[in-house]
Amino acid sequence: MLIDSYNLVKTRVQEALRRSGREEDVLILAVSKTRTVEEIRELYDAGVRDFGENYVQELMAKQPLLPSDIRWHMIGHLQRNKVKYIAPFIYMIHSVDTASLADTIEKEAAKCGRVIPVLIEVNVAGEESKYGVSPEEVPALAAQIGRLQHVSMKGLMTSAPLADDPEEVRPVFRKLRQIGVDMNLENVNNVRVDVLSMGMSNDFEVAVEEGAGCVRIGTTIFGPRDYSGR
Ligand SMILES: *Cc1c(COP(=O)(O)O)cnc(C)c1O
């Protein structure tokens, strides 16, 4: 049962919280890219409501087939011309990395009469292959989002480099947390870093120890992904 793996993740998150003396809640996002509607429904029936998807097309195919109280999180790279499709229902966008994308979300959210919560994706480790702004670019983008009426700046997101030992990427999580602390000290209008979205299957316990408010878990809940049908 998928809920057993989900609950195991929950237990491991709670243990990491205890180790680090933290008392906040951590949101466990079930990353459902490549997974079927039936798999998502199984977790939904067991009480899970927050799901993360990477691809707009895939999300648009699944969303109408599933209950409307699911909180869908966009965690993958988002093209501006696709924002209009998800603006009516998306719960949070974790992957904002340009001012122009933020402006497009503003425009589409306004059309729907919504305020869409977003996170800024940060490429903490400066990897060539990854999306996200550099740590230095965060304050300017955050300030710009703070000026928008229909986009609400909630925090920061990162994906750590792949590592054999998750201890190797602890500095990446620590750095994201520090960027958030620094942002909050600046007291920019309408900008509060409340959520750090960090930690995936192979490194989420370290991320929780370093302050994650949301972990994004695919493989550990659903098993290995199969991309052959794509
Ligand atoms: C796929 C994905 C995840 C989940 O990865 P797992 O290693 O399967 O837990 C988390 N975040 C993002 C941005 C992803 O693309």
Side-chain angles (χ1 to χ4, degrees), residues 73-180:
H73 297 245
M74 183 66 203
I75 63 173
H77 180 64
L78 180 57
Q79 289 171 310
R80 282 188 299 154
N81 61 358
K82 303 263 174 76
V83 173
K84 58 177 175 285
Y85 301 114
I86 62 171
F89 67 87
I90 200 77
Y91 181 74
M92 185 182 270
I93 299 174
H94 293 227
S95 45
V96 174
D97 62 354
T98 59
S100 58
L101 175 59
D103 285 338
T104 303
I105 298 170
E106 165 69 20
K107 198 178 81 198
E108 297 299 334
K111 280 190 205 163
C112 306
R114 297 189 64 207
V115 176
I116 298 183
V118 304
L119 308 179
I120 292 178
E121 180 171 1
V122 189
N123 185 353
V124 174
E127 291 172 277
E128 287 284 341
S129 59
K130 283 221 176 102
Y131 292 104
V133 298
S134 68
E136 296 72 35
E137 292 168 312
V138 171
L141 182 53
Q144 187 249 342
I145 295 172
R147 289 191 287 271
L148 302 174
Q149 305 291 309
H150 300 88
V151 182
S152 163
M153 163 71 194
K154 296 288 189 199
L156 306 172
M157 180 268 229
T158 200
S159 303
L162 265 182
D164 294 329
D165 178 357
E167 282 300 332
E168 286 171 37
V169 295
R170 186 181 291 276
V172 171
F173 299 136
R174 198 167 280 175
K175 172 86 190 225
L176 192 74
R177 179 181 173 78
Q178 191 57 51
I179 297 168

Side-chain angles (χ1 to χ4, degrees), residues 122 135 138 153 155-156 173-187 191-196:
V122 189
V138 171
M153 163 71 194
L156 306 172
F173 299 136
R174 198 167 280 175
K175 172 86 190 225
L176 192 74
R177 179 181 173 78
Q178 191 57 51
I179 297 168
V181 168
D182 292 345
M183 267 319 312
N184 285 344
L185 285 174
E186 284 190 38
N187 263 321
V191 172
R192 272 309 290 178
V193 175
D194 287 325
V195 182
L196 299 175

Side-chain angles (χ1 to χ4, degrees), residues 30-51:
V31 174
S32 50
K33 64 181 177 216
T34 77
R35 313 299 174 172
T36 63
V37 165
E38 289 71 27
E39 288 172 292
I40 297 171
R41 166 74 74 171
E42 182 184 326
L43 279 176
Y44 176 89
D45 287 341
V48 178
R49 291 293 177 273
D50 290 273
F51 292 88

Side-chain angles (χ1 to χ4, degrees), residues 31 33 54 75 157 159 200-201 216-220 225:
V31 174
K33 64 181 177 216
N54 290 59
I75 63 173
M157 180 268 229
S159 303
M200 307 175 18
S201 286
R216 310 182 306 269
I217 312 294
T219 311
T220 302
R225 271 184 294 278

